[in-house]
Amino acid sequence: MSGVWAEVLAVGLLLGVLAFAVVRPRGLPEATAAIPAALLLIVVGAVGTAAAWEQVERLWPVIAFLALLLMLGHLCAAEGLFTAAGDAVARIARGSPGRLLVGVFAVASVVTAVLSLDATVVLLTPVVFATAHRSGVRAKPHVYACTHLANSASLLLPVSNLTNLLALAASGLTFASFAGLMALPWLVSIAIEYVLLRRVFRSDLAAGAGGRRSGEETPTPWFALVVLGLTVVGFVATSVIGIEPVWAALVGTVVLAVRALVQRRVTPKDLVDAASPLFCLFVLALGVVVAAVVDHGLGAALKYLLPDGNGLLALLAITGIAAVLSNLINNLPAVLALLPLLGPAGPGPVLAALIGVNLGPNLTYVGSLATLLWRRILSEHDHDAELGEFTRVGLLTVPATLVGATVALWLTLITIGG
């Protein structure tokens, strides 16, 4: 199949897969729709078998890395790391909503950077709910900080986001050079989020505390902290000596897993579930669907729209296009579509696109899967983020963070001569 019918089918299936991922009828996994869609496109010839296999070969190492990070985050939670962090923040805040927000920003930024945005959304957000409740403050500013920082604070390290792992492979950068280029954009985006979220939720923060509730505090999980710290050092060290950072992730995960299994904190099934094998299959299948969409129209349109060069205006344009695309078709398909076009242009355009697909999803629910997960967690705690409010907050923060982070990237590039 070729021509207009292939384009219609590919786009229709992509939208259908994304809609299924948003709604997840009867709780079915995202792969339920993605795998049949990918197979159908291969069968009808909308994407060749060789092209589909090439996409899978390109993605599976990244997906394996992601699975290890998900297990690492789950093991840290089993060790009590997130609960201990919540206790520490509550002690420091001493019932002050403003100080609690500072603490949540600090913890969420580090967790997102080191353990990925999924850890912030899935593992930290419930802890923040509990911490706010125990401190007697309104939870809304703090849980909003979790979802915004899951996206905005995911710029720093390749392991912070699946999109970063894909961009690392396309950019030709090492782990350390990626972090060096993104350090200033990361700091700028977090600072802008903090200033603007304090403004948006000033009435909630001014409400004060209803009295701190006492409770047993979780001991500091030093073993998990040391292993996690050494794992992060391993990410940098392996990159410098030319070894894939995935091996550092594997070692850290195995060390914590052996300890947790021996102490019966987790079961083998818990580890398999934490790795989210069906979600990994969903990403692989989605990559095949996106390849068909790119081959039959989207690639040509993006090639026409994307500017050349590393100048500030070019980088801002790339960031804006990536942000819009992520809110139209989700950030994962967006980055899969953009990277083949931007990779040959060098790291500057690739990282500008990454800023767009990472920060842009704070505007709409469908921008990233992490935001959808966050909304489900809110509903489990009898809260709801109204669409109008979520969008209003996004309209205030997203343009500012996009521009601020992109300017910071440009300044970094011209400073180092990139």
Side-chain angles (χ1 to χ4, degrees), residues 35-356:
I35 293 176
L39 292 175
L40 177 60
L41 290 169
I42 294 171
V43 169
V44 301
V47 60
T49 304
W53 181 247
E54 180 182 351
Q55 187 80 328
V56 170
E57 283 188 317
R58 184 167 69 91
L59 288 176
W60 81 259
V62 174
I63 303 305
F65 203 164
L66 172 67
L68 285 172
L69 292 174
L70 292 174
M71 284 193 287
L72 187 63
H74 180 78
L75 289 164
C76 287
E79 290 277 348
L81 181 60
F82 296 98
T83 304
D87 288 343
V89 169
R91 287 196 301 271
I92 294 171
R94 298 193 302 275
S96 166
R99 285 196 295 267
L100 185 62
L101 183 65
V102 173
V104 169
F105 257 76
V107 172
S109 297
V110 173
V111 168
T112 299
V114 176
L115 289 173
S116 87
L117 78 170
D118 296 295
T120 298
V121 169
V122 177
L123 301 173
L124 183 62
T125 300
V127 171
V128 169
F129 261 115
T131 302
H133 177 70
R134 190 181 68 181
S135 301
V137 304
R138 295 181 182 178
K140 184 185 288 187
H142 311 95
V143 296
Y144 256 92
C146 285
T147 186
H148 270 244
L149 289 175
N151 292 314
S152 297
S154 68
L155 293 176
L156 181 60
L157 302 178
V159 298
S160 306
N161 198 332
L162 175 57
T163 56
N164 297 19
L165 292 171
L166 294 168
L168 179 69
S171 66
L173 295 169
T174 64
F175 190 101
S177 58
F178 181 103
L181 287 171
M182 296 304 276
L184 185 59
W186 180 71
L187 290 170
V188 168
S189 63
I190 292 171
I192 293 173
E193 289 280 10
Y194 176 74
V195 171
L196 294 181
L197 287 183
R198 278 196 70 98
R199 175 185 173 187
V200 170
F201 296 111
R202 57 186 178 275
S203 59
D204 293 282
L205 295 172
R212 177 177 173 177
R213 295 165 174 82
S214 61
E216 185 178 350
E217 294 177 351
T218 304
T220 302
W222 291 110
F223 184 84
L225 279 172
V226 170
V227 172
L228 185 60
L230 291 175
T231 302
V232 175
V233 172
F235 288 151
V236 179
T238 53
S239 175
V240 170
I241 63 178
I243 299 175
E244 292 295 328
V246 67
W247 295 107
L250 178 62
V251 172
T253 302
V254 168
V255 170
L256 286 180
V258 170
R259 173 183 164 92
L261 289 169
V262 169
Q263 296 182 345
R264 297 186 178 180
R265 294 177 185 268
V266 300
T267 66
K269 182 180 182 300
D270 292 334
L271 294 178
V272 172
D273 291 343
S276 298
L278 288 177
F279 179 75
C280 293
L281 289 175
F282 161 72
V283 175
L284 290 174
L286 183 63
V288 175
V289 175
V290 172
V293 175
V294 170
D295 290 344
H296 295 286
L298 181 59
L302 289 175
K303 191 173 182 180
Y304 175 77
L305 290 173
L306 292 169
D308 297 322
N310 288 284
L312 178 58
L313 292 180
L315 294 179
L316 286 170
I318 292 170
T319 299
I321 291 169
V324 170
L325 191 62
S326 68
N327 282 293
L328 291 176
I329 65 171
N330 189 265
N331 65 341
L332 184 54
V335 78
L336 289 171
L338 288 165
L339 290 181
L341 301 173
L342 295 174
V350 170
L351 297 180
L354 190 62
I355 290 172

